[in-house]
Amino acid sequence: RSDEGTKGRSHGATKPRRRGAAAVEFALVATLLFMLLIGLIDYGWIFLKVQQITQAARAGARTAVVPESTPASVEKTITDWMGWANIETFTYTLTETTVVPADTEGKNAVVAMRVEITVPTAQLTLINTTLIPVPDNLHAVASFAKEGPS
């Protein structure tokens, strides 16, 4: 019986050590998992914003290709879409390029309207830290052929 008492004591003495080691291991692993989770959420947020910026560029380009569109109507469309996405600071450019030159009679040229939007990433991140690498700017481009007579 004296052996049983010794075994019981030595077994009981190691239990607190195991609990302490488990707590330290949990603290280390939980910290890493928490950092990973925050990084995933932040990247997911950035991907959402990229999609919203791309949608704004597409909507602006669609507005630009309609025969009766004006630069003001394109700007309003882009501003509306960016407002719905809660993106306040952005720049955009609207360019017109000839994709297919006119024929010998000066007709049938194909003109493309291109909208390019740039947004500083700093205003979009949930956690503004250098631990999670993100680009300085998010960028979206959309281009459509102009409708109607050119």
Side-chain angles (χ1 to χ4, degrees):
R1 287 210 160 192
S2 62
D3 288 341
E4 288 178 18
T6 308
K7 286 182 183 176
R9 274 190 226 137
S10 65
H11 181 67
T14 59
K15 266 191 174 181
R17 288 185 186 170
R18 287 184 186 162
R19 285 185 189 157
V24 169
E25 289 172 3
F26 175 76
L28 292 173
V29 170
T31 302
L32 291 174
L33 288 175
F34 183 71
M35 288 174 55
L36 181 65
L37 176 66
I38 294 299
L40 288 171
I41 290 170
D42 203 30
Y43 273 124
W45 184 255
I46 292 292
F47 290 142
L48 169 69
K49 293 301 174 182
V50 166
Q51 288 300 320
Q52 291 173 333
I53 295 164
T54 301
Q55 274 302 112
R58 287 179 184 154
R62 278 194 300 269
T63 301
V65 298
V66 177
E68 56 273 351
S69 74
T70 63
S73 64
V74 174
E75 181 175 358
K76 183 180 178 338
T77 300
I78 293 170
T79 304
D80 287 348
W81 277 84
M82 296 300 273
W84 294 326
N86 292 321
I87 299 172
E88 298 170 3
T89 306
F90 63 93
T91 58
Y92 79 94
T93 57
L94 174 63
T95 55
E96 181 177 320
T97 55
T98 303
V99 179
V100 177
D103 58 16
T104 55
E105 298 173 1
K107 296 181 181 180
N108 301 324
V110 177
V111 175
M113 301 303 288
R114 182 176 193 249
V115 172
E116 187 173 346
I117 300 176
T118 303
V119 178
T121 308
Q123 72 166 326
L124 302 177
T125 57
L126 295 174
I127 301 168
N128 201 3
T129 178
T130 57
L131 295 175
I132 301 169
V134 293
D136 292 335
N137 294 307
L138 298 180
H139 189 74
V141 177
S143 183
F144 290 103
K146 194 158 178 74
E147 297 176 1
S150 50

mmCIF file with all atom_site columns, all heavy atoms in Angstrom, residues 111-139:
data_model
loop_
_atom_site.group_PDB
_atom_site.id
_atom_site.type_symbol
_atom_site.label_atom_id
_atom_site.label_alt_id
_atom_site.label_comp_id
_atom_site.label_asym_id
_atom_site.label_entity_id
_atom_site.label_seq_id
_atom_site.pdbx_PDB_ins_code
_atom_site.Cartn_x
_atom_site.Cartn_y
_atom_site.Cartn_z
_atom_site.occupancy
_atom_site.B_iso_or_equiv
_atom_site.pdbx_formal_charge
_atom_site.auth_seq_id
_atom_site.auth_comp_id
_atom_site.auth_asym_id
_atom_site.auth_atom_id
_atom_site.pdbx_PDB_model_num
ATOM 1   N N   . VAL A 1 111 ? -15.466 52.297 -81.505 1.00 0.00 ? 111 VAL A N   1
ATOM 2   C CA  . VAL A 1 111 ? -14.876 53.103 -80.448 1.00 0.00 ? 111 VAL A CA  1
ATOM 3   C C   . VAL A 1 111 ? -15.166 52.436 -79.111 1.00 0.00 ? 111 VAL A C   1
ATOM 4   O O   . VAL A 1 111 ? -16.287 52.005 -78.854 1.00 0.00 ? 111 VAL A O   1
ATOM 5   C CB  . VAL A 1 111 ? -15.455 54.535 -80.469 1.00 0.00 ? 111 VAL A CB  1
ATOM 6   C CG1 . VAL A 1 111 ? -14.943 55.359 -79.313 1.00 0.00 ? 111 VAL A CG1 1
ATOM 7   C CG2 . VAL A 1 111 ? -15.145 55.206 -81.799 1.00 0.00 ? 111 VAL A CG2 1
ATOM 8   N N   . ALA A 1 112 ? -14.151 52.337 -78.269 1.00 0.00 ? 112 ALA A N   1
ATOM 9   C CA  . ALA A 1 112 ? -14.322 51.750 -76.935 1.00 0.00 ? 112 ALA A CA  1
ATOM 10  C C   . ALA A 1 112 ? -14.227 52.836 -75.879 1.00 0.00 ? 112 ALA A C   1
ATOM 11  O O   . ALA A 1 112 ? -13.410 53.751 -75.981 1.00 0.00 ? 112 ALA A O   1
ATOM 12  C CB  . ALA A 1 112 ? -13.254 50.690 -76.682 1.00 0.00 ? 112 ALA A CB  1
ATOM 13  N N   . MET A 1 113 ? -15.076 52.714 -74.886 1.00 0.00 ? 113 MET A N   1
ATOM 14  C CA  . MET A 1 113 ? -15.047 53.610 -73.739 1.00 0.00 ? 113 MET A CA  1
ATOM 15  C C   . MET A 1 113 ? -14.440 52.825 -72.578 1.00 0.00 ? 113 MET A C   1
ATOM 16  O O   . MET A 1 113 ? -14.880 51.716 -72.267 1.00 0.00 ? 113 MET A O   1
ATOM 17  C CB  . MET A 1 113 ? -16.445 54.104 -73.380 1.00 0.00 ? 113 MET A CB  1
ATOM 18  C CG  . MET A 1 113 ? -17.150 54.847 -74.512 1.00 0.00 ? 113 MET A CG  1
ATOM 19  S SD  . MET A 1 113 ? -16.236 56.252 -75.133 1.00 0.00 ? 113 MET A SD  1
ATOM 20  C CE  . MET A 1 113 ? -16.407 57.389 -73.786 1.00 0.00 ? 113 MET A CE  1
ATOM 21  N N   . ARG A 1 114 ? -13.440 53.414 -71.956 1.00 0.00 ? 114 ARG A N   1
ATOM 22  C CA  . ARG A 1 114 ? -12.706 52.731 -70.884 1.00 0.00 ? 114 ARG A CA  1
ATOM 23  C C   . ARG A 1 114 ? -12.804 53.555 -69.606 1.00 0.00 ? 114 ARG A C   1
ATOM 24  O O   . ARG A 1 114 ? -12.502 54.747 -69.604 1.00 0.00 ? 114 ARG A O   1
ATOM 25  C CB  . ARG A 1 114 ? -11.247 52.584 -71.294 1.00 0.00 ? 114 ARG A CB  1
ATOM 26  C CG  . ARG A 1 114 ? -10.390 51.854 -70.309 1.00 0.00 ? 114 ARG A CG  1
ATOM 27  C CD  . ARG A 1 114 ? -8.988  51.695 -70.897 1.00 0.00 ? 114 ARG A CD  1
ATOM 28  N NE  . ARG A 1 114 ? -8.214  50.747 -70.143 1.00 0.00 ? 114 ARG A NE  1
ATOM 29  C CZ  . ARG A 1 114 ? -7.175  51.095 -69.401 1.00 0.00 ? 114 ARG A CZ  1
ATOM 30  N NH1 . ARG A 1 114 ? -6.787  52.340 -69.332 1.00 0.00 ? 114 ARG A NH1 1
ATOM 31  N NH2 . ARG A 1 114 ? -6.512  50.174 -68.742 1.00 0.00 ? 114 ARG A NH2 1
ATOM 32  N N   . VAL A 1 115 ? -13.235 52.913 -68.521 1.00 0.00 ? 115 VAL A N   1
ATOM 33  C CA  . VAL A 1 115 ? -13.308 53.548 -67.211 1.00 0.00 ? 115 VAL A CA  1
ATOM 34  C C   . VAL A 1 115 ? -12.294 52.856 -66.307 1.00 0.00 ? 115 VAL A C   1
ATOM 35  O O   . VAL A 1 115 ? -12.254 51.625 -66.220 1.00 0.00 ? 115 VAL A O   1
ATOM 36  C CB  . VAL A 1 115 ? -14.729 53.440 -66.607 1.00 0.00 ? 115 VAL A CB  1
ATOM 37  C CG1 . VAL A 1 115 ? -14.739 53.934 -65.167 1.00 0.00 ? 115 VAL A CG1 1
ATOM 38  C CG2 . VAL A 1 115 ? -15.727 54.202 -67.447 1.00 0.00 ? 115 VAL A CG2 1
ATOM 39  N N   . GLU A 1 116 ? -11.491 53.659 -65.648 1.00 0.00 ? 116 GLU A N   1
ATOM 40  C CA  . GLU A 1 116 ? -10.459 53.156 -64.738 1.00 0.00 ? 116 GLU A CA  1
ATOM 41  C C   . GLU A 1 116 ? -10.647 53.852 -63.389 1.00 0.00 ? 116 GLU A C   1
ATOM 42  O O   . GLU A 1 116 ? -10.688 55.077 -63.318 1.00 0.00 ? 116 GLU A O   1
ATOM 43  C CB  . GLU A 1 116 ? -9.096  53.477 -65.331 1.00 0.00 ? 116 GLU A CB  1
ATOM 44  C CG  . GLU A 1 116 ? -7.941  52.900 -64.618 1.00 0.00 ? 116 GLU A CG  1
ATOM 45  C CD  . GLU A 1 116 ? -6.636  53.119 -65.381 1.00 0.00 ? 116 GLU A CD  1
ATOM 46  O OE1 . GLU A 1 116 ? -6.673  53.480 -66.575 1.00 0.00 ? 116 GLU A OE1 1
ATOM 47  O OE2 . GLU A 1 116 ? -5.591  52.947 -64.758 1.00 0.00 ? 116 GLU A OE2 1
ATOM 48  N N   . ILE A 1 117 ? -10.775 53.066 -62.331 1.00 0.00 ? 117 ILE A N   1
ATOM 49  C CA  . ILE A 1 117 ? -10.986 53.607 -60.987 1.00 0.00 ? 117 ILE A CA  1
ATOM 50  C C   . ILE A 1 117 ? -9.840  53.160 -60.084 1.00 0.00 ? 117 ILE A C   1
ATOM 51  O O   . ILE A 1 117 ? -9.459  51.989 -60.096 1.00 0.00 ? 117 ILE A O   1
ATOM 52  C CB  . ILE A 1 117 ? -12.329 53.139 -60.389 1.00 0.00 ? 117 ILE A CB  1
ATOM 53  C CG1 . ILE A 1 117 ? -13.493 53.591 -61.262 1.00 0.00 ? 117 ILE A CG1 1
ATOM 54  C CG2 . ILE A 1 117 ? -12.497 53.655 -58.962 1.00 0.00 ? 117 ILE A CG2 1
ATOM 55  C CD1 . ILE A 1 117 ? -14.846 53.088 -60.812 1.00 0.00 ? 117 ILE A CD1 1
ATOM 56  N N   . THR A 1 118 ? -9.330  54.099 -59.300 1.00 0.00 ? 118 THR A N   1
ATOM 57  C CA  . THR A 1 118 ? -8.265  53.813 -58.340 1.00 0.00 ? 118 THR A CA  1
ATOM 58  C C   . THR A 1 118 ? -8.712  54.293 -56.960 1.00 0.00 ? 118 THR A C   1
ATOM 59  O O   . THR A 1 118 ? -9.202  55.412 -56.816 1.00 0.00 ? 118 THR A O   1
ATOM 60  C CB  . THR A 1 118 ? -6.953  54.519 -58.741 1.00 0.00 ? 118 THR A CB  1
ATOM 61  O OG1 . THR A 1 118 ? -6.603  54.101 -60.061 1.00 0.00 ? 118 THR A OG1 1
ATOM 62  C CG2 . THR A 1 118 ? -5.823  54.182 -57.791 1.00 0.00 ? 118 THR A CG2 1
ATOM 63  N N   . VAL A 1 119 ? -8.526  53.430 -55.964 1.00 0.00 ? 119 VAL A N   1
ATOM 64  C CA  . VAL A 1 119 ? -8.928  53.738 -54.592 1.00 0.00 ? 119 VAL A CA  1
ATOM 65  C C   . VAL A 1 119 ? -7.755  53.448 -53.659 1.00 0.00 ? 119 VAL A C   1
ATOM 66  O O   . VAL A 1 119 ? -7.169  52.365 -53.736 1.00 0.00 ? 119 VAL A O   1
ATOM 67  C CB  . VAL A 1 119 ? -10.140 52.871 -54.156 1.00 0.00 ? 119 VAL A CB  1
ATOM 68  C CG1 . VAL A 1 119 ? -10.535 53.150 -52.721 1.00 0.00 ? 119 VAL A CG1 1
ATOM 69  C CG2 . VAL A 1 119 ? -11.306 53.077 -55.096 1.00 0.00 ? 119 VAL A CG2 1
ATOM 70  N N   . PRO A 1 120 ? -7.406  54.392 -52.780 1.00 0.00 ? 120 PRO A N   1
ATOM 71  C CA  . PRO A 1 120 ? -6.367  54.105 -51.783 1.00 0.00 ? 120 PRO A CA  1
ATOM 72  C C   . PRO A 1 120 ? -6.840  53.028 -50.805 1.00 0.00 ? 120 PRO A C   1
ATOM 73  O O   . PRO A 1 120 ? -7.936  53.125 -50.251 1.00 0.00 ? 120 PRO A O   1
ATOM 74  C CB  . PRO A 1 120 ? -6.145  55.437 -51.062 1.00 0.00 ? 120 PRO A CB  1
ATOM 75  C CG  . PRO A 1 120 ? -6.960  56.448 -51.772 1.00 0.00 ? 120 PRO A CG  1
ATOM 76  C CD  . PRO A 1 120 ? -7.894  55.753 -52.695 1.00 0.00 ? 120 PRO A CD  1
ATOM 77  N N   . THR A 1 121 ? -6.040  52.005 -50.617 1.00 0.00 ? 121 THR A N   1
ATOM 78  C CA  . THR A 1 121 ? -6.427  50.875 -49.777 1.00 0.00 ? 121 THR A CA  1
ATOM 79  C C   . THR A 1 121 ? -6.525  51.260 -48.306 1.00 0.00 ? 121 THR A C   1
ATOM 80  O O   . THR A 1 121 ? -7.310  50.668 -47.570 1.00 0.00 ? 121 THR A O   1
ATOM 81  C CB  . THR A 1 121 ? -5.422  49.721 -49.943 1.00 0.00 ? 121 THR A CB  1
ATOM 82  O OG1 . THR A 1 121 ? -5.288  49.444 -51.331 1.00 0.00 ? 121 THR A OG1 1
ATOM 83  C CG2 . THR A 1 121 ? -5.878  48.462 -49.253 1.00 0.00 ? 121 THR A CG2 1
ATOM 84  N N   . ALA A 1 122 ? -5.777  52.250 -47.881 1.00 0.00 ? 122 ALA A N   1
ATOM 85  C CA  . ALA A 1 122 ? -5.741  52.614 -46.457 1.00 0.00 ? 122 ALA A CA  1
ATOM 86  C C   . ALA A 1 122 ? -7.132  52.938 -45.909 1.00 0.00 ? 122 ALA A C   1
ATOM 87  O O   . ALA A 1 122 ? -7.421  52.664 -44.748 1.00 0.00 ? 122 ALA A O   1
ATOM 88  C CB  . ALA A 1 122 ? -4.809  53.792 -46.249 1.00 0.00 ? 122 ALA A CB  1
ATOM 89  N N   . GLN A 1 123 ? -8.013  53.496 -46.747 1.00 0.00 ? 123 GLN A N   1
ATOM 90  C CA  . GLN A 1 123 ? -9.353  53.832 -46.254 1.00 0.00 ? 123 GLN A CA  1
ATOM 91  C C   . GLN A 1 123 ? -10.284 52.626 -46.190 1.00 0.00 ? 123 GLN A C   1
ATOM 92  O O   . GLN A 1 123 ? -11.373 52.715 -45.634 1.00 0.00 ? 123 GLN A O   1
ATOM 93  C CB  . GLN A 1 123 ? -9.982  54.915 -47.139 1.00 0.00 ? 123 GLN A CB  1
ATOM 94  C CG  . GLN A 1 123 ? -10.384 54.412 -48.510 1.00 0.00 ? 123 GLN A CG  1
ATOM 95  C CD  . GLN A 1 123 ? -11.283 55.367 -49.253 1.00 0.00 ? 123 GLN A CD  1
ATOM 96  O OE1 . GLN A 1 123 ? -12.100 56.048 -48.661 1.00 0.00 ? 123 GLN A OE1 1
ATOM 97  N NE2 . GLN A 1 123 ? -11.106 55.422 -50.556 1.00 0.00 ? 123 GLN A NE2 1
ATOM 98  N N   . LEU A 1 124 ? -9.859  51.490 -46.732 1.00 0.00 ? 124 LEU A N   1
ATOM 99  C CA  . LEU A 1 124 ? -10.744 50.331 -46.820 1.00 0.00 ? 124 LEU A CA  1
ATOM 100 C C   . LEU A 1 124 ? -10.442 49.230 -45.819 1.00 0.00 ? 124 LEU A C   1
ATOM 101 O O   . LEU A 1 124 ? -11.304 48.406 -45.549 1.00 0.00 ? 124 LEU A O   1
ATOM 102 C CB  . LEU A 1 124 ? -10.675 49.737 -48.230 1.00 0.00 ? 124 LEU A CB  1
ATOM 103 C CG  . LEU A 1 124 ? -11.032 50.664 -49.373 1.00 0.00 ? 124 LEU A CG  1
ATOM 104 C CD1 . LEU A 1 124 ? -10.837 49.949 -50.692 1.00 0.00 ? 124 LEU A CD1 1
ATOM 105 C CD2 . LEU A 1 124 ? -12.449 51.163 -49.238 1.00 0.00 ? 124 LEU A CD2 1
ATOM 106 N N   . THR A 1 125 ? -9.221  49.174 -45.304 1.00 0.00 ? 125 THR A N   1
ATOM 107 C CA  . THR A 1 125 ? -8.861  48.062 -44.435 1.00 0.00 ? 125 THR A CA  1
ATOM 108 C C   . THR A 1 125 ? -9.565  48.173 -43.092 1.00 0.00 ? 125 THR A C   1
ATOM 109 O O   . THR A 1 125 ? -9.797  49.263 -42.578 1.00 0.00 ? 125 THR A O   1
ATOM 110 C CB  . THR A 1 125 ? -7.334  48.002 -44.204 1.00 0.00 ? 125 THR A CB  1
ATOM 111 O OG1 . THR A 1 125 ? -6.906  49.249 -43.665 1.00 0.00 ? 125 THR A OG1 1
ATOM 112 C CG2 . THR A 1 125 ? -6.597  47.700 -45.476 1.00 0.00 ? 125 THR A CG2 1
ATOM 113 N N   . LEU A 1 126 ? -9.910  47.039 -42.530 1.00 0.00 ? 126 LEU A N   1
ATOM 114 C CA  . LEU A 1 126 ? -10.525 47.012 -41.211 1.00 0.00 ? 126 LEU A CA  1
ATOM 115 C C   . LEU A 1 126 ? -9.476  47.252 -40.133 1.00 0.00 ? 126 LEU A C   1
ATOM 116 O O   . LEU A 1 126 ? -9.730  47.917 -39.143 1.00 0.00 ? 126 LEU A O   1
ATOM 117 C CB  . LEU A 1 126 ? -11.214 45.667 -40.979 1.00 0.00 ? 126 LEU A CB  1
ATOM 118 C CG  . LEU A 1 126 ? -12.401 45.358 -41.884 1.00 0.00 ? 126 LEU A CG  1
ATOM 119 C CD1 . LEU A 1 126 ? -12.895 43.949 -41.645 1.00 0.00 ? 126 LEU A CD1 1
ATOM 120 C CD2 . LEU A 1 126 ? -13.508 46.355 -41.665 1.00 0.00 ? 126 LEU A CD2 1
ATOM 121 N N   . ILE A 1 127 ? -8.301  46.666 -40.343 1.00 0.00 ? 127 ILE A N   1
ATOM 122 C CA  . ILE A 1 127 ? -7.196  46.814 -39.397 1.00 0.00 ? 127 ILE A CA  1
ATOM 123 C C   . ILE A 1 127 ? -6.030  47.418 -40.163 1.00 0.00 ? 127 ILE A C   1
ATOM 124 O O   . ILE A 1 127 ? -5.471  46.781 -41.049 1.00 0.00 ? 127 ILE A O   1
ATOM 125 C CB  . ILE A 1 127 ? -6.786  45.449 -38.821 1.00 0.00 ? 127 ILE A CB  1
ATOM 126 C CG1 . ILE A 1 127 ? -7.968  44.803 -38.129 1.00 0.00 ? 127 ILE A CG1 1
ATOM 127 C CG2 . ILE A 1 127 ? -5.615  45.604 -37.875 1.00 0.00 ? 127 ILE A CG2 1
ATOM 128 C CD1 . ILE A 1 127 ? -7.754  43.376 -37.777 1.00 0.00 ? 127 ILE A CD1 1
ATOM 129 N N   . ASN A 1 128 ? -5.690  48.629 -39.829 1.00 0.00 ? 128 ASN A N   1
ATOM 130 C CA  . ASN A 1 128 ? -4.614  49.309 -40.544 1.00 0.00 ? 128 ASN A CA  1
ATOM 131 C C   . ASN A 1 128 ? -3.287  48.964 -39.876 1.00 0.00 ? 128 ASN A C   1
ATOM 132 O O   . ASN A 1 128 ? -2.816  49.655 -38.983 1.00 0.00 ? 128 ASN A O   1
ATOM 133 C CB  . ASN A 1 128 ? -4.858  50.821 -40.547 1.00 0.00 ? 128 ASN A CB  1
ATOM 134 C CG  . ASN A 1 128 ? -4.105  51.499 -41.654 1.00 0.00 ? 128 ASN A CG  1
ATOM 135 O OD1 . ASN A 1 128 ? -3.446  50.849 -42.458 1.00 0.00 ? 128 ASN A OD1 1
ATOM 136 N ND2 . ASN A 1 128 ? -4.198  52.814 -41.703 1.00 0.00 ? 128 ASN A ND2 1
ATOM 137 N N   . THR A 1 129 ? -2.694  47.852 -40.287 1.00 0.00 ? 129 THR A N   1
ATOM 138 C CA  . THR A 1 129 ? -1.445  47.385 -39.709 1.00 0.00 ? 129 THR A CA  1
ATOM 139 C C   . THR A 1 129 ? -0.511  46.916 -40.812 1.00 0.00 ? 129 THR A C   1
ATOM 140 O O   . THR A 1 129 ? -0.954  46.576 -41.907 1.00 0.00 ? 129 THR A O   1
ATOM 141 C CB  . THR A 1 129 ? -1.699  46.240 -38.709 1.00 0.00 ? 129 THR A CB  1
ATOM 142 O OG1 . THR A 1 129 ? -0.450  45.786 -38.196 1.00 0.00 ? 129 THR A OG1 1
ATOM 143 C CG2 . THR A 1 129 ? -2.413  45.083 -39.354 1.00 0.00 ? 129 THR A CG2 1
ATOM 144 N N   . THR A 1 130 ? 0.751   46.899 -40.516 1.00 0.00 ? 130 THR A N   1
ATOM 145 C CA  . THR A 1 130 ? 1.731   46.424 -41.504 1.00 0.00 ? 130 THR A CA  1
ATOM 146 C C   . THR A 1 130 ? 1.899   44.916 -41.448 1.00 0.00 ? 130 THR A C   1
ATOM 147 O O   . THR A 1 130 ? 2.616   44.356 -42.263 1.00 0.00 ? 130 THR A O   1
ATOM 148 C CB  . THR A 1 130 ? 3.088   47.105 -41.264 1.00 0.00 ? 130 THR A CB  1
ATOM 149 O OG1 . THR A 1 130 ? 3.510   46.843 -39.921 1.00 0.00 ? 130 THR A OG1 1
ATOM 150 C CG2 . THR A 1 130 ? 2.991   48.601 -41.493 1.00 0.00 ? 130 THR A CG2 1
ATOM 151 N N   . LEU A 1 131 ? 1.265   44.257 -40.491 1.00 0.00 ? 131 LEU A N   1
ATOM 152 C CA  . LEU A 1 131 ? 1.375   42.800 -40.390 1.00 0.00 ? 131 LEU A CA  1
ATOM 153 C C   . LEU A 1 131 ? 0.661   42.094 -41.536 1.00 0.00 ? 131 LEU A C   1
ATOM 154 O O   . LEU A 1 131 ? 1.024   40.997 -41.916 1.00 0.00 ? 131 LEU A O   1
ATOM 155 C CB  . LEU A 1 131 ? 0.808   42.309 -39.056 1.00 0.00 ? 131 LEU A CB  1
ATOM 156 C CG  . LEU A 1 131 ? 1.560   42.759 -37.804 1.00 0.00 ? 131 LEU A CG  1
ATOM 157 C CD1 . LEU A 1 131 ? 0.817   42.294 -36.561 1.00 0.00 ? 131 LEU A CD1 1
ATOM 158 C CD2 . LEU A 1 131 ? 2.985   42.231 -37.819 1.00 0.00 ? 131 LEU A CD2 1
ATOM 159 N N   . ILE A 1 132 ? -0.374  42.724 -42.068 1.00 0.00 ? 132 ILE A N   1
ATOM 160 C CA  . ILE A 1 132 ? -1.145  42.137 -43.157 1.00 0.00 ? 132 ILE A CA  1
ATOM 161 C C   . ILE A 1 132 ? -0.817  42.913 -44.422 1.00 0.00 ? 132 ILE A C   1
ATOM 162 O O   . ILE A 1 132 ? -1.225  44.068 -44.566 1.00 0.00 ? 132 ILE A O   1
ATOM 163 C CB  . ILE A 1 132 ? -2.656  42.189 -42.855 1.00 0.00 ? 132 ILE A CB  1
ATOM 164 C CG1 . ILE A 1 132 ? -2.943  41.442 -41.558 1.00 0.00 ? 132 ILE A CG1 1
ATOM 165 C CG2 . ILE A 1 132 ? -3.451  41.611 -44.013 1.00 0.00 ? 132 ILE A CG2 1
ATOM 166 C CD1 . ILE A 1 132 ? -4.326  41.644 -41.033 1.00 0.00 ? 132 ILE A CD1 1
ATOM 167 N N   . PRO A 1 133 ? -0.070  42.315 -45.348 1.00 0.00 ? 133 PRO A N   1
ATOM 168 C CA  . PRO A 1 133 ? 0.333   43.063 -46.549 1.00 0.00 ? 133 PRO A CA  1
ATOM 169 C C   . PRO A 1 133 ? -0.833  43.257 -47.523 1.00 0.00 ? 133 PRO A C   1
ATOM 170 O O   . PRO A 1 133 ? -1.530  42.309 -47.870 1.00 0.00 ? 133 PRO A O   1
ATOM 171 C CB  . PRO A 1 133 ? 1.418   42.184 -47.170 1.00 0.00 ? 133 PRO A CB  1
ATOM 172 C CG  . PRO A 1 133 ? 1.135   40.809 -46.660 1.00 0.00 ? 133 PRO A CG  1
ATOM 173 C CD  . PRO A 1 133 ? 0.475   40.971 -45.320 1.00 0.00 ? 133 PRO A CD  1
ATOM 174 N N   . VAL A 1 134 ? -1.061  44.503 -47.898 1.00 0.00 ? 134 VAL A N   1
ATOM 175 C CA  . VAL A 1 134 ? -2.063  44.851 -48.895 1.00 0.00 ? 134 VAL A CA  1
ATOM 176 C C   . VAL A 1 134 ? -1.445  45.878 -49.844 1.00 0.00 ? 134 VAL A C   1
ATOM 177 O O   . VAL A 1 134 ? -0.526  46.594 -49.466 1.00 0.00 ? 134 VAL A O   1
ATOM 178 C CB  . VAL A 1 134 ? -3.356  45.433 -48.255 1.00 0.00 ? 134 VAL A CB  1
ATOM 179 C CG1 . VAL A 1 134 ? -4.093  44.384 -47.455 1.00 0.00 ? 134 VAL A CG1 1
ATOM 180 C CG2 . VAL A 1 134 ? -3.050  46.629 -47.389 1.00 0.00 ? 134 VAL A CG2 1
ATOM 181 N N   . PRO A 1 135 ? -1.933  45.968 -51.079 1.00 0.00 ? 135 PRO A N   1
ATOM 182 C CA  . PRO A 1 135 ? -1.391  46.968 -52.004 1.00 0.00 ? 135 PRO A CA  1
ATOM 183 C C   . PRO A 1 135 ? -1.766  48.376 -51.558 1.00 0.00 ? 135 PRO A C   1
ATOM 184 O O   . PRO A 1 135 ? -2.706  48.572 -50.797 1.00 0.00 ? 135 PRO A O   1
ATOM 185 C CB  . PRO A 1 135 ? -2.049  46.609 -53.344 1.00 0.00 ? 135 PRO A CB  1
ATOM 186 C CG  . PRO A 1 135 ? -3.295  45.883 -52.970 1.00 0.00 ? 135 PRO A CG  1
ATOM 187 C CD  . PRO A 1 135 ? -2.999  45.165 -51.686 1.00 0.00 ? 135 PRO A CD  1
ATOM 188 N N   . ASP A 1 136 ? -1.024  49.359 -52.046 1.00 0.00 ? 136 ASP A N   1
ATOM 189 C CA  . ASP A 1 136 ? -1.306  50.756 -51.704 1.00 0.00 ? 136 ASP A CA  1
ATOM 190 C C   . ASP A 1 136 ? -2.635  51.219 -52.280 1.00 0.00 ? 136 ASP A C   1
ATOM 191 O O   . ASP A 1 136 ? -3.343  52.009 -51.658 1.00 0.00 ? 136 ASP A O   1
ATOM 192 C CB  . ASP A 1 136 ? -0.190  51.674 -52.215 1.00 0.00 ? 136 ASP A CB  1
ATOM 193 C CG  . ASP A 1 136 ? 1.113   51.438 -51.470 1.00 0.00 ? 136 ASP A CG  1
ATOM 194 O OD1 . ASP A 1 136 ? 1.066   50.965 -50.314 1.00 0.00 ? 136 ASP A OD1 1
ATOM 195 O OD2 . ASP A 1 136 ? 2.182   51.726 -52.041 1.00 0.00 ? 136 ASP A OD2 1
ATOM 196 N N   . ASN A 1 137 ? -2.956  50.757 -53.496 1.00 0.00 ? 137 ASN A N   1
ATOM 197 C CA  . ASN A 1 137 ? -4.185  51.166 -54.179 1.00 0.00 ? 137 ASN A CA  1
ATOM 198 C C   . ASN A 1 137 ? -4.895  49.947 -54.743 1.00 0.00 ? 137 ASN A C   1
ATOM 199 O O   . ASN A 1 137 ? -4.248  48.991 -55.173 1.00 0.00 ? 137 ASN A O   1
ATOM 200 C CB  . ASN A 1 137 ? -3.882  52.128 -55.335 1.00 0.00 ? 137 ASN A CB  1
ATOM 201 C CG  . ASN A 1 137 ? -3.337  53.443 -54.846 1.00 0.00 ? 137 ASN A CG  1
ATOM 202 O OD1 . ASN A 1 137 ? -3.927  54.091 -53.996 1.00 0.00 ? 137 ASN A OD1 1
ATOM 203 N ND2 . ASN A 1 137 ? -2.190  53.844 -55.372 1.00 0.00 ? 137 ASN A ND2 1
ATOM 204 N N   . LEU A 1 138 ? -6.220  50.030 -54.765 1.00 0.00 ? 138 LEU A N   1
ATOM 205 C CA  . LEU A 1 138 ? -7.013  49.036 -55.484 1.00 0.00 ? 138 LEU A CA  1
ATOM 206 C C   . LEU A 1 138 ? -7.401  49.657 -56.809 1.00 0.00 ? 138 LEU A C   1
ATOM 207 O O   . LEU A 1 138 ? -7.675  50.852 -56.890 1.00 0.00 ? 138 LEU A O   1
ATOM 208 C CB  . LEU A 1 138 ? -8.257  48.660 -54.677 1.00 0.00 ? 138 LEU A CB  1
ATOM 209 C CG  . LEU A 1 138 ? -7.995  48.021 -53.321 1.00 0.00 ? 138 LEU A CG  1
ATOM 210 C CD1 . LEU A 1 138 ? -9.317  47.706 -52.632 1.00 0.00 ? 138 LEU A CD1 1
ATOM 211 C CD2 . LEU A 1 138 ? -7.166  46.764 -53.452 1.00 0.00 ? 138 LEU A CD2 1
ATOM 212 N N   . HIS A 1 139 ? -7.450  48.826 -57.830 1.00 0.00 ? 139 HIS A N   1
ATOM 213 C CA  . HIS A 1 139 ? -7.568  49.334 -59.188 1.00 0.00 ? 139 HIS A CA  1
ATOM 214 C C   . HIS A 1 139 ? -8.562  48.471 -59.960 1.00 0.00 ? 139 HIS A C   1
ATOM 215 O O   . HIS A 1 139 ? -8.524  47.250 -59.879 1.00 0.00 ? 139 HIS A O   1
ATOM 216 C CB  . HIS A 1 139 ? -6.172  49.230 -59.808 1.00 0.00 ? 139 HIS A CB  1
ATOM 217 C CG  . HIS A 1 139 ? -6.022  49.879 -61.112 1.00 0.00 ? 139 HIS A CG  1
ATOM 218 N ND1 . HIS A 1 139 ? -5.955  51.234 -61.257 1.00 0.00 ? 139 HIS A ND1 1
ATOM 219 C CD2 . HIS A 1 139 ? -5.907  49.362 -62.345 1.00 0.00 ? 139 HIS A CD2 1
ATOM 220 C CE1 . HIS A 1 139 ? -5.806  51.525 -62.543 1.00 0.00 ? 139 HIS A CE1 1
ATOM 221 N NE2 . HIS A 1 139 ? -5.783  50.402 -63.214 1.00 0.00 ? 139 HIS A NE2 1
#
